[in-house]
Amino acid sequence: MPKTRRPSAVQTLALGFALLILAGACLLSLPIASRSGEGIPWTSAVFTAASASCVTGLTVYDTATQFTPFGQAVLLLLIQIGGLGFVTASLPAALLARRRVGLRQRALLQDSVGALQLGGVVRLARRALLVTVLCEGLGAAALAFWFCPRYGWGKGLWMAVFHAVSAFCNAGFDLLGTGASITTEAGEPLLNIVLMALIICGGLGFLVWDDVLAHGRHFRRWRLHSKMAFTVTLLLFAGGAAAFWFLEADHAFAGADGPTRALMAAFQSVTARTAGFASVDQSSLSQGGVLLMLVLMFVGAASGSTGGGVKVNTFAVLVLGVRARIWRQDDVNVFRRRLDEGDIHKAYSTAGIYLFGALCGCMVLCVQGAGLTDALFETFSAMSTVGLSRNLTGSLPALSKWAVILMMFAGRVGSMSVAMAVTRGRDAQNGLRYVPEKILIG
């Protein structure tokens, strides 16, 4: 009798996210979830559940006006579980029940929180939960000072909690009821700054926070991963804000005073890398601004974070690899460390699979009538779990919606992980390797 193969950790995580989306869609399609008292169509329910579970933020409905408090609570739960990863989110229950975390569960946790090694993964997951509670709690408390005076204590506190979780998990769902994210509040410093802080905290990744908790400001003692993630995130934020300041002065930021324009530029730079909140209408961006958005969405957040994209670390490895090749260096070095060749190959493979998936998705949307610019923006937004749109999501045909669902799923689980989950690995036969032969490149 043939031995049954157990699913790998990657396959288990992919299946878990698929089941989470299915369960969320079932709940959101119930009449009790909609203010109209009628269930939403199944495709729209799956789309909304996938967007929440994959912490994307693309929506076919306005969250505040379409969904009841029950529906909003379902979305909040999906966002929280999707942001942490269902394995990490289930850890408190296992710890409270004093259940031993076995090797298989540790392997799942390793992939879920982005740990570099199996040892210490439970401690890292605990710290991830601690950082999540602290950041979301402090963020909700700060946002309450903005929401409660405007909406009252009950609704204000609910909105503060919802937006804190949505921002830290880089989801981008909002309850303002405008149907245009926070564009009507682009000049509100407290709201914008707190949301930016939460987005950045969630996008740095749990390994970075583990180093912050363990070593504080002693940057030299941080892991190489954390050094790269923090440094590149800072550079992308500053560079993106400066570029948007100049590019959109006569376009999306036209008519804004200096402080508001600076706030909008900073927010646009932060939200472009997987957050989903919008303080300006994305369809009003200049062509240069759109191109910059595509680049920032492609990069995304740091590895092991609540965000998507090819990841900050992957992008850094690509740039460093090109630099090493230009300078005819055999090794790729950074912060006095040499990068592992396997990580370099994985970075190029991840970027290649991401771009292939995005171009395929863009082709589907274009075939169904979307303009090239809008289709590219939508597909990069879905693949990077950004959640920004140029007013295209609500008018997508059914086939295009399913294509976007698949892209959001691939973006959250990881394009490389999805490819590995649907393929069967081939082991080397007796260590045999073929004879190498050179080809022309470039």
Side-chain angles (χ1 to χ4, degrees), residues 13-33:
L13 288 175
L15 179 61
F17 269 104
L19 292 176
L20 179 64
I21 293 170
L22 181 62
C26 290
L27 292 174
L28 291 175
S29 63
L30 296 175
I32 192 177

Side-chain angles (χ1 to χ4, degrees), residues 349-394:
S349 299
T350 298
I353 294 174
Y354 173 99
L355 290 173
F356 178 76
L359 291 176
C360 288
C362 181
M363 183 70 72
V364 173
L365 268 61
C366 287
V367 167
Q368 294 216 290
L372 178 59
T373 301
D374 293 343
L376 275 174
F377 198 95
E378 194 84 5
T379 52
F380 272 71
S381 179
M383 283 290 292
S384 295
T385 68
V386 176
L388 296 173
S389 177
R390 290 169 59 87
N391 304 318
L392 180 64
T393 306

Side-chain angles (χ1 to χ4, degrees), residues 387-435:
L388 296 173
S389 177
R390 290 169 59 87
N391 304 318
L392 180 64
T393 306
S395 59
L396 288 175
L399 179 60
S400 293
K401 285 182 179 178
W402 283 105
V404 172
I405 290 171
L406 290 175
M407 286 187 287
M408 290 190 293
F409 179 79
R412 182 63 187 96
V413 178
S415 53
M416 175 65 76
S417 297
V418 171
M420 293 172 64
V422 298
T423 57
R424 182 175 179 178
R426 296 181 178 179
D427 300 326
Q429 297 180 355
N430 300 322
L432 180 65
R433 301 177 68 186
Y434 293 109
V435 175

Side-chain angles (χ1 to χ4, degrees), residues 38-339:
E38 299 179 358
I40 60 177
W42 178 247
T43 298
S44 296
V46 175
F47 189 100
T48 306
S51 183
S53 301
C54 300
V55 289
T56 304
L58 290 173
T59 57
V60 292
Y61 302 109
D62 177 66
T63 306
T65 57
Q66 173 63 38
F67 295 107
T68 63
F70 171 81
Q72 293 171 13
V74 171
L75 287 173
L76 186 65
L77 184 62
L78 293 175
I79 290 170
Q80 187 70 87
I81 296 175
L84 283 173
F86 69 93
V87 181
T88 308
S90 65
L91 182 62
L95 295 176
L96 288 174
R98 296 186 177 182
R99 289 170 49 194
R100 184 177 179 275
V101 182
L103 286 177
R104 180 165 178 78
Q105 287 71 31
R106 290 172 187 266
L108 291 172
L109 274 176
Q110 182 181 7
D111 283 346
S112 183
V113 299
L116 295 174
Q117 57 189 20
L118 199 60
V121 69
V122 176
R123 177 187 58 81
L124 177 60
R126 286 174 176 170
R127 286 189 171 180
L129 292 171
L130 174 63
V131 169
T132 300
V133 172
L134 286 176
C135 289
E136 291 179 353
L138 292 174
L143 289 173
F145 285 99
W146 194 87
F147 283 108
C148 289
R150 291 167 172 78
Y151 297 94
W153 283 102
K155 186 176 180 180
L157 287 175
W158 168 244
M159 294 183 72
V161 171
F162 188 97
H163 287 85
V165 174
S166 182
F168 180 79
C169 292
N170 284 213
F173 283 81
D174 72 273
L175 297 179
L176 296 180
T178 63
S181 194
I182 64 167
T183 54
T184 57
E185 314 296 344
E188 293 290 334
L190 178 59
L191 177 64
N192 283 263
I193 291 173
V194 173
L195 289 180
M196 281 192 290
L198 287 168
I199 292 166
I200 292 172
C201 288
L204 280 175
F206 298 122
L207 274 178
V208 177
W209 282 109
D210 184 57
D211 276 327
V212 171
L213 293 174
H215 306 298
R217 293 177 296 176
H218 299 285
F219 187 74
R220 291 183 178 180
R221 299 172 63 183
W222 289 14
R223 301 178 181 91
L224 177 60
H225 165 94
S226 301
K227 292 178 180 178
M228 291 177 63
F230 182 84
T231 303
V232 178
T233 296
L234 183 62
L235 291 174
L236 288 173
F237 166 66
F244 281 122
W245 167 275
F246 291 106
L247 287 172
E248 302 305 321
D250 299 323
H251 297 87
F253 303 163
D257 56 30
T260 302
R261 180 177 161 191
L263 190 63
M264 294 167 74
F267 196 93
Q268 189 71 11
S269 179
V270 171
T271 197
R273 294 186 304 104
T274 85
F277 291 101
S279 61
V280 298
D281 183 2
Q282 301 303 299
S283 61
S284 66
L285 293 174
S286 65
Q287 292 299 301
V290 172
L291 181 59
L292 179 59
M293 284 293 296
L294 293 178
V295 173
L296 292 176
M297 287 193 291
F298 169 75
V299 176
S303 303
S305 71
T306 59
V310 297
K311 300 297 190 295
V312 165
N313 303 69
T314 302
F315 174 74
V317 172
L318 295 177
V319 173
L320 291 170
V322 172
R323 187 195 67 173
R325 179 57 58 184
I326 291 174
W327 287 95
R328 298 173 178 84
Q329 297 174 343
D330 295 329
D331 298 328
V332 180
N333 303 315
V334 61
F335 290 112
R336 298 185 177 182
R337 292 291 186 273
R338 175 171 56 86
L339 295 182

